[in-house]
PDB file of all heavy atoms in Angstrom:
ATOM      1  N   THR A 182      -8.291  20.375  28.812  1.00 95.00           N
ATOM      2  CA  THR A 182      -7.192  21.271  28.443  1.00 95.00           C
ATOM      3  C   THR A 182      -6.070  20.576  27.690  1.00 95.00           C
ATOM      4  O   THR A 182      -5.130  21.233  27.248  1.00 95.00           O
ATOM      5  CB  THR A 182      -6.593  21.923  29.708  1.00 95.00           C
ATOM      6  OG1 THR A 182      -6.136  20.892  30.599  1.00 95.00           O
ATOM      7  CG2 THR A 182      -7.634  22.778  30.415  1.00 95.00           C
ATOM      8  N   LEU A 183      -6.146  19.267  27.518  1.00 96.00           N
ATOM      9  CA  LEU A 183      -5.035  18.528  26.928  1.00 96.00           C
ATOM     10  C   LEU A 183      -5.402  17.848  25.609  1.00 96.00           C
ATOM     11  O   LEU A 183      -4.578  17.131  25.038  1.00 96.00           O
ATOM     12  CB  LEU A 183      -4.531  17.465  27.923  1.00 96.00           C
ATOM     13  CG  LEU A 183      -4.041  17.993  29.269  1.00 96.00           C
ATOM     14  CD1 LEU A 183      -3.665  16.825  30.180  1.00 96.00           C
ATOM     15  CD2 LEU A 183      -2.861  18.935  29.088  1.00 96.00           C
ATOM     16  N   GLY A 184      -6.618  18.045  25.120  1.00 97.00           N
ATOM     17  CA  GLY A 184      -7.057  17.350  23.922  1.00 97.00           C
ATOM     18  C   GLY A 184      -6.590  17.992  22.630  1.00 97.00           C
ATOM     19  O   GLY A 184      -5.852  18.980  22.618  1.00 97.00           O
ATOM     20  N   GLN A 185      -7.081  17.444  21.514  1.00 97.00           N
ATOM     21  CA  GLN A 185      -6.677  17.921  20.190  1.00 97.00           C
ATOM     22  C   GLN A 185      -7.535  19.073  19.684  1.00 97.00           C
ATOM     23  O   GLN A 185      -7.111  19.837  18.820  1.00 97.00           O
ATOM     24  CB  GLN A 185      -6.776  16.768  19.172  1.00 97.00           C
ATOM     25  CG  GLN A 185      -5.922  15.563  19.517  1.00 97.00           C
ATOM     26  CD  GLN A 185      -6.723  14.477  20.226  1.00 97.00           C
ATOM     27  OE1 GLN A 185      -7.503  14.752  21.131  1.00 97.00           O
ATOM     28  NE2 GLN A 185      -6.518  13.233  19.807  1.00 97.00           N
ATOM     29  N   TRP A 186      -8.756  19.196  20.192  1.00 98.00           N
ATOM     30  CA  TRP A 186      -9.734  20.119  19.603  1.00 98.00           C
ATOM     31  C   TRP A 186      -9.696  21.447  20.343  1.00 98.00           C
ATOM     32  O   TRP A 186      -9.987  21.523  21.537  1.00 98.00           O
ATOM     33  CB  TRP A 186     -11.120  19.483  19.684  1.00 98.00           C
ATOM     34  CG  TRP A 186     -12.129  20.078  18.762  1.00 98.00           C
ATOM     35  CD1 TRP A 186     -11.903  20.918  17.714  1.00 98.00           C
ATOM     36  CD2 TRP A 186     -13.537  19.863  18.802  1.00 98.00           C
ATOM     37  NE1 TRP A 186     -13.086  21.248  17.088  1.00 98.00           N
ATOM     38  CE2 TRP A 186     -14.092  20.606  17.739  1.00 98.00           C
ATOM     39  CE3 TRP A 186     -14.366  19.115  19.628  1.00 98.00           C
ATOM     40  CZ2 TRP A 186     -15.468  20.621  17.501  1.00 98.00           C
ATOM     41  CZ3 TRP A 186     -15.731  19.127  19.375  1.00 98.00           C
ATOM     42  CH2 TRP A 186     -16.275  19.868  18.327  1.00 98.00           C
ATOM     43  N   GLN A 187      -9.356  22.517  19.641  1.00 98.00           N
ATOM     44  CA  GLN A 187      -9.221  23.843  20.235  1.00 98.00           C
ATOM     45  C   GLN A 187     -10.598  24.479  20.446  1.00 98.00           C
ATOM     46  O   GLN A 187     -11.377  24.631  19.500  1.00 98.00           O
ATOM     47  CB  GLN A 187      -8.396  24.751  19.319  1.00 98.00           C
ATOM     48  CG  GLN A 187      -6.996  24.254  19.046  1.00 98.00           C
ATOM     49  CD  GLN A 187      -6.009  24.686  20.120  1.00 98.00           C
ATOM     50  OE1 GLN A 187      -6.387  25.337  21.092  1.00 98.00           O
ATOM     51  NE2 GLN A 187      -4.753  24.335  19.945  1.00 98.00           N
ATOM     52  N   THR A 188     -10.903  24.848  21.682  1.00 98.00           N
ATOM     53  CA  THR A 188     -12.158  25.536  21.993  1.00 98.00           C
ATOM     54  C   THR A 188     -11.859  26.751  22.862  1.00 98.00           C
ATOM     55  O   THR A 188     -10.791  26.863  23.464  1.00 98.00           O
ATOM     56  CB  THR A 188     -13.142  24.618  22.736  1.00 98.00           C
ATOM     57  OG1 THR A 188     -12.629  24.338  24.047  1.00 98.00           O
ATOM     58  CG2 THR A 188     -13.367  23.312  21.987  1.00 98.00           C
ATOM     59  N   GLY A 189     -12.831  27.650  22.927  1.00 96.00           N
ATOM     60  CA  GLY A 189     -12.656  28.850  23.741  1.00 96.00           C
ATOM     61  C   GLY A 189     -13.670  29.900  23.350  1.00 96.00           C
ATOM     62  O   GLY A 189     -14.786  29.581  22.928  1.00 96.00           O
ATOM     63  N   TYR A 190     -13.275  31.166  23.450  1.00 95.00           N
ATOM     64  CA  TYR A 190     -14.164  32.286  23.134  1.00 95.00           C
ATOM     65  C   TYR A 190     -13.524  33.141  22.060  1.00 95.00           C
ATOM     66  O   TYR A 190     -12.334  33.469  22.133  1.00 95.00           O
ATOM     67  CB  TYR A 190     -14.426  33.132  24.379  1.00 95.00           C
ATOM     68  CG  TYR A 190     -15.250  32.412  25.421  1.00 95.00           C
ATOM     69  CD1 TYR A 190     -14.637  31.721  26.452  1.00 95.00           C
ATOM     70  CD2 TYR A 190     -16.636  32.412  25.355  1.00 95.00           C
ATOM     71  CE1 TYR A 190     -15.387  31.047  27.404  1.00 95.00           C
ATOM     72  CE2 TYR A 190     -17.392  31.745  26.298  1.00 95.00           C
ATOM     73  CZ  TYR A 190     -16.761  31.060  27.327  1.00 95.00           C
ATOM     74  OH  TYR A 190     -17.510  30.391  28.253  1.00 95.00           O
ATOM     75  N   SER A 191     -14.324  33.518  21.075  1.00 94.00           N
ATOM     76  CA  SER A 191     -13.819  34.352  19.988  1.00 94.00           C
ATOM     77  C   SER A 191     -14.410  35.754  20.100  1.00 94.00           C
ATOM     78  O   SER A 191     -14.892  36.161  21.153  1.00 94.00           O
ATOM     79  CB  SER A 191     -14.145  33.701  18.643  1.00 94.00           C
ATOM     80  OG  SER A 191     -15.529  33.407  18.542  1.00 94.00           O
ATOM     81  N   TRP A 192     -14.381  36.477  19.016  1.00 95.00           N
ATOM     82  CA  TRP A 192     -14.816  37.876  18.963  1.00 95.00           C
ATOM     83  C   TRP A 192     -16.251  38.050  19.458  1.00 95.00           C
ATOM     84  O   TRP A 192     -17.133  37.265  19.109  1.00 95.00           O
ATOM     85  CB  TRP A 192     -14.707  38.372  17.528  1.00 95.00           C
ATOM     86  CG  TRP A 192     -15.189  39.777  17.307  1.00 95.00           C
ATOM     87  CD1 TRP A 192     -16.439  40.157  16.912  1.00 95.00           C
ATOM     88  CD2 TRP A 192     -14.439  40.975  17.472  1.00 95.00           C
ATOM     89  NE1 TRP A 192     -16.512  41.514  16.809  1.00 95.00           N
ATOM     90  CE2 TRP A 192     -15.288  42.053  17.148  1.00 95.00           C
ATOM     91  CE3 TRP A 192     -13.130  41.248  17.868  1.00 95.00           C
ATOM     92  CZ2 TRP A 192     -14.871  43.378  17.192  1.00 95.00           C
ATOM     93  CZ3 TRP A 192     -12.708  42.565  17.907  1.00 95.00           C
ATOM     94  CH2 TRP A 192     -13.574  43.609  17.582  1.00 95.00           C
ATOM     95  N   LEU A 193     -16.464  39.087  20.254  1.00 96.00           N
ATOM     96  CA  LEU A 193     -17.802  39.435  20.724  1.00 96.00           C
ATOM     97  C   LEU A 193     -18.062  40.894  20.388  1.00 96.00           C
ATOM     98  O   LEU A 193     -17.368  41.800  20.870  1.00 96.00           O
ATOM     99  CB  LEU A 193     -17.928  39.217  22.231  1.00 96.00           C
ATOM    100  CG  LEU A 193     -19.334  39.392  22.827  1.00 96.00           C
ATOM    101  CD1 LEU A 193     -20.281  38.336  22.277  1.00 96.00           C
ATOM    102  CD2 LEU A 193     -19.281  39.316  24.347  1.00 96.00           C
ATOM    103  N   SER A 194     -19.056  41.144  19.532  1.00 96.00           N
ATOM    104  CA  SER A 194     -19.373  42.504  19.108  1.00 96.00           C
ATOM    105  C   SER A 194     -20.064  43.268  20.228  1.00 96.00           C
ATOM    106  O   SER A 194     -20.781  42.689  21.053  1.00 96.00           O
ATOM    107  CB  SER A 194     -20.274  42.466  17.870  1.00 96.00           C
ATOM    108  OG  SER A 194     -19.637  41.776  16.809  1.00 96.00           O
ATOM    109  N   GLU A 195     -19.891  44.586  20.220  1.00 96.00           N
ATOM    110  CA  GLU A 195     -20.478  45.414  21.283  1.00 96.00           C
ATOM    111  C   GLU A 195     -21.996  45.303  21.306  1.00 96.00           C
ATOM    112  O   GLU A 195     -22.606  45.247  22.372  1.00 96.00           O
ATOM    113  CB  GLU A 195     -20.070  46.874  21.097  1.00 96.00           C
ATOM    114  CG  GLU A 195     -20.623  47.780  22.188  1.00 96.00           C
ATOM    115  CD  GLU A 195     -20.269  49.239  22.007  1.00 96.00           C
ATOM    116  OE1 GLU A 195     -19.440  49.538  21.122  1.00 96.00           O
ATOM    117  OE2 GLU A 195     -20.836  50.081  22.739  1.00 96.00           O
TER     118      GLU A 195
END
Side-chain angles (χ1 to χ4, degrees):
T182 58
L183 301 176
Q185 301 97 315
W186 199 13
Q187 300 274 2
T188 68
Y190 292 94
S191 53
W192 177 266
L193 187 65
S194 301
E195 181 182 351

